[in-house]
Each structure stands twice: as structure tokens, then as C-alpha cells.
Amino acid sequence: MLSLRAPEAPATPRERTFLPEVQALRALAVLLVVVYHLWPNRLTGGYVGVDVFFVISGFLITSHLRREVERTGTLSLRAFYARRARRLLPAALLVLLVTALASGLLLPVSRWAATAGDVLASTFYVQNWALAGRAVDYSASQDAASVVQHYWSLSVEEQFYAGWPLLVLALVWLAGRTRSGRPLLLPGIAVVTAASLAWSVYWTATEPAAAYFQTPTRVWELGVGAVLALGLSGARAQALLASGPMVPVVLRWAGFAAIAVAAVTLSSASPFPGYLALLPVLGTAAVIAAGDTGPRDPSSRLVSLAPTQFVGDVSYAVYLWHWPLIVLAPFALARPLTTVDKLAVLAASLLLAWGTRQLVEQPAQQWRRLRRPLVVGVCTVVAMALVSGVAAWQYHRVDVAQAAARDELAAAQEDPCFGAGSLAPGATGCGDVFGPPASLVLPEDDAPWFRDPACRPTRGGPSDTDLGVKTCRFGTDAPTRRVALVGDSHAEHWRGAVHEIARQQGWELVEIFRGACPVTEARVLAFQGDGTDTEGCARWGGQVTDWLTSHDVDAVVTTSFTTAFTFAGEDSLEAGAQGFAATWTAWLDAGLEVDVLRDVPTTGLPHVPECLQAHPDDPRECSRPRDEAVVPDAATLAAERIAAPGLHLVDLTDYFCDETTCYTAIGGAVVYFDANHLTAQYSRSLAPFLFEELV
């Protein structure tokens, strides 16, 4: 039977220079992250491995800074930053360079610009802020995963390394200026840590998507490691061990258990970091605090195993390599990854990590010339410039491809058979309607959420009106009709068609959008299976109704990504239908005409342009059976039930599908910009057919 008895505590514990338990934590952390990325449905909370890394980094860096302060009374910032650069930058910049080059060879053109931007953000360690900005932008949330998005955690750490020694130096200086002369490191860092934790809890509850990536919501995790480094030094460590031989063993087992519980119980729907991050963070701190629990502790055998220590040694490089392999491998293989493929990715990550450590990391730390801060600085600038140059070259390639695409589309759009025109009743001579599109490259202005400089905000904005609704107005000062386009991003992707109609007919157009929120009295519980802002959507929906019924508007054109929502009630479909019906009835009672656009068919694809680029000669490979793409939805059900002359259901499904199949390339146009939003080119081609239905 395994024994949990610990050995007698040493009388005078000495600070160890090698910590096998920390290497074991690194191994556990990187394996959690990699397994989560390969099998997210199997280990739903594996992302907490990043939090384990944060605590370790805070502990080790602060331990080093504390020793230097105790030895010299101050810090050498130049030496500190040079050491960090030698340790972290060679491998990180190498992986960025290889990834940028491989992306240009393997990824479709549609992803070059985003990849180049992310490579630049990662090179200068601001990737976390780039992702935080996208997290609060619904349109950007539809983007495919970035090939270097895992650099967000490295960005947080580098920003921590940039500021932390300055904080330590400031606290040491202040302590020297006080009359008492008491050390301020521990209380000062504890205050910063507590403040960051409080902000993390608040911001996670307020803006959970952005909070995940932002530095202020994560500093406390590194701060816990820092407090541990200061609080368990010298006599404090001896006091812990003297408290009883079982204390370190219990701490270690409880710590590992906390990390494991977090990994298997949390998920992408969990509000994180916030207070939930306390579980893996305190678990990691407990393992580190326990220290060496001795040979009688069964966990010591696992911690000291050669494979455990090896994975801990290469954990940094494994983290760097695994994600680009996961993203790029499906493009190299031209198919989704199988279980065997995923195991191969895991093995390749370990092999590349070992090679990187042997050939890059260790030589960079041992090379004598790199011990001079000036040499480190010059090498860093040169390496960053090289990676930035590759990213700039990628941008140039994008510009060339997009210019060619705009020319091809301009010529193609002159043809009356372009896009939906090829499916018009009586259309003849249109050739292969569902054949290859005129251009597989989508220009930037083909995005469904384009910005029109003609926008006239109601209050210098886009504005917040007195009823809390952000609006944007287009059109003439003496319009023939005032029309509101209302809904989520699936209303927004009709802008191409509705703007074209408004220009031709002299309408004034008012736009009211909110991503992932339908305008309905039904309560939205989830969006595409994930939790959403239920209260915020409900509040916004009520404000939209208040605005529409109190302003001079003739008609409302509305739609939403209805099939993506889960509504509160025993029957989500029925609850949603009742909610839409109640909202539209209120609009009708206010004298508004209501035009409900049936939502576009679903594609079942993660990214349509990438599928089309993978099958350039036969876009039918990216089509979907009509009975799968067109399914019952709450909005259509509600519109069919309301027998009021002022409400009209507009169903343009036949401009996406024939009797059996729905297509992603029609009449030379690419229909979808991503998985479910229309391109501006196809939306504009629908204008004459939408106008016929609206009037």
C-alpha cells in the first residue's frame, strides 16, 4: 500500500537551486494545454495549464529578484532584461519565423493578412491585447483561429517581466526612505496582487471574453507566485516544515488535486479567469510551497521520473510548437485531423521541442558573447526585424492578391448573371451557375460588416441615443421612406443589398445592430451552444422596441441568426417563436411595417472561403443538402403565424439553393464570407430580388 508519510523535516532547510516539483508542474501544465487543444471535448478545462505557468513564472522570477536584492541591495535592470531575452526570445522568434513562412505556403490567401498581423503582435509581445480587442468585436469573433494566438500568454509574461523588476526596485527604494526601514516587498506585492485579483473578478463578470486575455486580469496569478517566493523564504520555510511532517505532503497532494479538478470541471463556458482561476493558481502554489516531500511520498516517484523531468525541461518549446502544428497540419494534409494525426502532432511537438532546446535555447544561454546586455539587445533587434520583414512581405502579397481580386470582381459584376442574377426567373445563357467563382480571394471591403463613410450618427458617434440604442443613419435629407435595418450580424450582412436599394430609391436607412443578440421578448440562454449575455440582450431588445416605436420610421427590416440561439423554455423553438411574435406585434401596433427576412441557409463548414480554395475546380464540394441547410427556425415560425397585413415574411432561400442542394458559390460570386455570413458581393447581387419582396 502507498504511504503518505513524510520524512522528518530538516532542522535547517536550505534554499534549493533545482526544483524537480517545478519541472513536474511545467510538464503537467504543457500537457494539459496540448491535450486540451487536441481534444477540447475530452479535457474541457485543460487551458488552466497556462495559469500553472503563470504562478511558476511569478515564483521563479521573484525568487531571483529577491536573492539579488538581498545580495546587493539593488537590481541590475540591464542584466535582468538580458537574461530574460536570452532565455525566451531565441526559441520564440524562431517559431514565429518558421510559422510565418509555413503559413504563406499552406494557408489560403484569405488568412495571410490576419496571420501577418498576429505574427507582428506576437513579435512585439502584444498578442494578448490584439485578441482582447477582437474578443469584444463580434465580427472578429467569427475569424478562424490564429496560427500564433497561443503567444497571448507569452505576451502577458513578457509584459510582467518588463514591469515587475521596476516595481521591486521602487519598493526597495521606498523601504530605504522610511523611518522604520521595514521591508516593503511582501506587503507591496501583496497589495498589487489583491488589486489585480479584484479587477479580474469584476472584469470577468463584465467583459468575460476580453478579460481572458488582458494583462491586469492575469497579473495576480503571477503575483501569487511572487508572494510565495517572498513569504516562504528563510525562517518562514523552516516554520512551515516544523509545523508537522505531513504538512508538505498534504499540500502537494491537495495542490495537484486542485489543478486536476479545474482541468476536468471547467470549460470554455466557465467565466474565467476571475475567482475560478483561484483553483489552479492556489493548487500550483500549494505544490511549490510543499517543496521536497521526500522519498516516502508516492508523488515523489512520479515527479522524479526521467520522462516527467524531460517534458518539464522542454515544456516551453512544446508550448511554442504545438499550436502552429495543430492549425497548419489540416491544410498540409487537406483533411481534418484524425486521432492518429493528433498523436503525430503531439510526438512532433516533443521532437521539435527537444531539438529547439538542444540547438537554440541552451546554446543561447551558454554563448559567452550573449552575456553582454548590449550584444543581447542588438541580436534581439535584428531577430525581431527579420520576423517583422517576413510579416511585411506577407502583407505585400495580400495587397497584390486583393488588387487582382478587386479587378476580377469588378469585371464579373458587369455581367447580369453574376451572383443571384444567375438564378433569376428567366435567366438564360449563364453557363455553369454553381461553378468556380470569379475570384477565390475576398477583398477586405467584401466583409459583411463594412464601414460606410456616409454614416450620419444621431449624436456624434456612432451614438448612444436617449433610449440607449446605438444607431447609424444613411440617405438624403428628404427621403422617400425611412427604413430601419435591425438585428444581429445576420441583419448586418444584408447591408450590401439594403444600401443598394436605399441609394436607388432615395430612402433614409437607420441601422441598429448588436452581435449575437436577436430583438425578441424571448430570453436568450445560449448562442451556438455557449453562454451569452442574457440580461444584456433582453435589455437591448427592449430599448430597440422603445426606439422604433418613438421615432419617425416607416418600416423595419429585421432578421437574425435564429438557429444559433437557445431560448428559455421547455421548447426552445416555441419559446423563441412566441418571443418574436410578441415583439413584432408591438411594432405593428405602433404603425410600423415589418419585413422579416428568413435567415440564410447554414453551411455546416467552419470557413467557406477556405473550403472553396481547397476545391478551386469544384466548389460543389462545399455545398450542403437543402434539408440540412434549411431547417425550422423560431423567427420564420412566428412570421408564418401572424396574419397581419403589415407583416411580411421575405424568403429568398431559392437564391441560395435549388430543390436539393444549397451552394456556397453562385453565378461567379462567393456566397459566404466565413461560416455563415454573406459576402458583400453576394448581398449586393440580391438587391433587386429583395426589393421586389419588400414592396
Side-chain angles (χ1 to χ4, degrees):
M1 176 178 288
L2 298 178
S3 173
L4 291 179
R5 288 189 304 165
E8 293 291 331
T12 56
R14 292 181 298 176
E15 193 164 13
R16 296 173 296 151
T17 57
F18 175 70
L19 306 176
E21 67 275 10
V22 169
Q23 291 297 84
L25 280 170
R26 283 173 167 157
L28 174 62
V30 79
L31 290 176
L32 287 176
V33 172
V34 174
V35 172
Y36 169 70
H37 285 156
L38 288 170
W39 294 280
N41 294 327
R42 300 291 181 86
L43 190 66
T44 57
Y47 55 80
V48 299
V50 170
D51 305 88
V52 175
F53 277 127
F54 284 159
V55 179
I56 293 172
S57 295
F59 173 77
L60 295 178
I61 290 302
T62 307
S63 295
H64 175 83
L65 295 174
R66 173 182 57 79
R67 287 193 295 268
E68 184 173 351
V69 169
E70 290 174 349
R71 187 176 66 254
T72 68
T74 187
L75 293 176
S76 171
L77 295 178
R78 292 177 62 203
F80 173 82
Y81 293 135
R83 284 193 300 270
R84 288 294 84 203
R86 287 200 309 270
R87 169 70 181 92
L88 300 173
L89 296 188
L93 293 175
L94 171 67
V95 174
L96 279 177
L97 180 62
V98 173
T99 300
L101 293 171
S103 297
L105 295 173
L106 297 174
L107 292 182
V109 178
S110 60
R111 295 186 58 176
W112 288 355
T115 299
D118 285 329
V119 167
L120 281 175
S122 298
T123 300
F124 295 98
Y125 290 97
V126 292
Q127 179 64 32
N128 64 315
W129 291 106
L131 291 174
R134 290 184 218 163
V136 296
D137 179 354
Y138 174 74
S139 62
S141 73
Q142 304 301 298
D143 293 344
S146 165
V147 73
V148 291
Q149 70 180 30
H150 62 313
Y151 272 68
W152 77 266
S153 63
L154 305 182
S155 299
V156 170
E157 290 202 17
E158 287 294 337
Q159 292 160 29
F160 172 82
Y161 297 149
W164 204 246
L166 297 176
L167 173 63
V168 170
L169 201 58
L171 291 172
V172 170
W173 181 84
L174 284 174
R177 296 297 184 274
T178 59
R179 292 183 178 180
S180 64
R182 292 178 181 176
L184 295 179
L185 269 183
L186 181 57
I189 286 176
V191 168
V192 171
T193 301
S196 173
L197 173 59
W199 177 253
S200 181
V201 172
Y202 167 76
W203 201 239
T204 300
T206 306
E207 285 285 355
Y212 188 87
F213 299 108
Q214 291 180 354
T215 305
T217 63
R218 294 288 189 166
V219 164
W220 71 271
E221 300 183 32
L222 295 110
V224 167
V227 169
L228 189 66
L230 298 171
L232 285 181
S233 60
R236 295 186 184 92
Q238 187 172 1
L240 172 66
L241 294 174
S243 61
M246 283 296 295
V247 171
V249 177
V250 172
L251 272 177
R252 174 181 281 189
W253 281 78
F256 279 127
I259 297 170
V261 168
V264 299
T265 59
L266 298 178
S267 71
S268 60
S270 303
F272 202 87
Y275 66 89
L276 290 179
L278 284 167
L279 190 58
V281 166
L282 295 182
T284 304
V287 174
I288 296 174
D292 182 6
T293 57
R296 294 186 181 182
D297 178 4
S299 70
S300 295
R301 303 171 191 174
L302 180 60
V303 164
S304 60
L305 283 176
T308 304
Q309 294 298 303
F310 168 77
V311 175
D313 287 341
V314 300
S315 58
Y316 176 57
V318 169
Y319 183 83
L320 291 174
W321 283 112
H322 85 283
W323 183 251
L325 291 176
I326 290 173
V327 175
L328 294 174
F331 292 96
L333 298 172
R335 57 176 168 78
L337 296 182
T338 64
T339 299
V340 173
D341 296 332
K342 293 179 180 181
L343 292 173
V345 165
L346 177 58
S349 300
L350 289 168
L351 182 61
L352 286 169
W354 174 80
T356 301
R357 181 164 177 77
Q358 296 296 316
L359 301 175
V360 178
E361 291 185 81
Q362 289 183 334
Q365 295 181 64
Q366 296 167 0
W367 191 25
R368 288 185 178 180
R369 292 186 179 180
L370 273 182
R371 294 181 181 178
R372 298 173 58 186
L374 179 60
V375 176
V376 173
V378 171
C379 291
T380 298
V381 170
V382 171
M384 286 183 164
L386 178 61
V387 178
S388 300
V390 173
W393 170 69
Q394 199 81 299
Y395 272 124
H396 173 68
R397 295 178 68 197
V398 172
D399 289 340
V400 172
Q402 292 222 338
R406 279 189 285 269
D407 291 341
E408 292 168 347
L409 283 174
Q413 288 173 346
E414 296 295 325
D415 188 342
C417 287
F418 180 78
S422 63
L423 299 180
T428 58
C430 291
D432 186 2
V433 174
F434 306 118
S439 175
L440 289 170
V441 178
L442 297 180
E444 291 180 355
D445 55 6
D446 213 26
W449 26 80
F450 64 87
R451 294 182 179 180
D452 194 319
C455 171
R456 298 202 313 273
T458 50
R459 281 194 196 169
S463 67
D464 286 305
T465 70
D466 54 345
L467 295 175
V469 176
K470 294 181 180 180
T471 67
C472 203
R473 293 174 181 264
F474 305 85
T476 65
D477 293 330
T480 61
R481 201 167 193 236
R482 290 184 173 86
V483 177
L485 179 59
V486 175
D488 59 11
S489 64
H490 276 220
E492 192 172 3
H493 70 197
W494 283 99
R495 297 179 82 199
V498 178
H499 274 237
E500 189 67 27
I501 295 171
R503 279 191 289 267
Q504 293 177 5
Q505 303 300 319
W507 292 355
E508 180 182 56
L509 180 63
V510 180
E511 296 178 344
I512 306 176
F513 304 130
R514 176 166 170 162
C517 278
V519 184
T520 174
E521 291 189 15
R523 292 179 63 79
V524 179
L525 297 182
F527 174 71
Q528 292 186 305
D530 292 330
T532 191
D533 186 2
T534 299
E535 297 302 325
C537 283
R539 183 168 54 253
W540 178 75
Q543 291 169 343
V544 170
T545 293
D546 290 342
W547 193 96
L548 291 172
T549 55
S550 61
H551 284 71
D552 185 13
V553 176
D554 299 311
V556 182
V557 178
T558 186
T559 189
S560 59
F561 191 6
T562 319
T563 56
F565 297 106
T566 301
F567 299 101
E570 294 183 5
D571 184 337
S572 174
L573 182 65
E574 179 61 29
Q578 292 178 8
F580 282 117
T583 296
W584 299 336
T585 299
W587 297 354
L588 292 169
D589 290 344
L592 297 171
E593 176 187 318
V594 181
D595 294 290
V596 179
L597 308 186
R598 181 166 191 167
D599 195 23
V600 298
T602 59
T603 68
L605 295 170
H607 204 265
V608 169
E610 290 180 4
C611 180
L612 293 174
Q613 289 163 8
H615 303 281
D617 299 323
D618 189 9
R620 290 176 177 82
E621 291 289 330
C622 305
S623 62
R624 193 180 195 191
R626 180 166 178 151
D627 59 358
E628 296 178 10
V630 183
V631 296
D633 68 89
T636 301
L637 181 60
E640 291 173 340
R641 288 178 177 175
I642 298 177
L647 186 138
H648 183 204
L649 175 63
V650 178
D651 188 349
L652 297 181
T653 303
D654 288 343
Y655 289 95
F656 295 84
C657 317
D658 59 21
E659 293 181 355
T660 62
T661 308
C662 295
Y663 300 91
T664 54
I666 299 174
V670 176
V671 178
Y672 295 91
F673 185 78
D674 46 30
N676 52 72
H677 295 95
L678 297 181
T679 59
Q681 60 180 270
Y682 197 72
S683 182
R684 283 191 294 266
S685 76
L686 287 163
F689 313 108
L690 176 61
F691 179 63
E692 289 181 7
E693 293 292 327
L694 293 180
V695 300

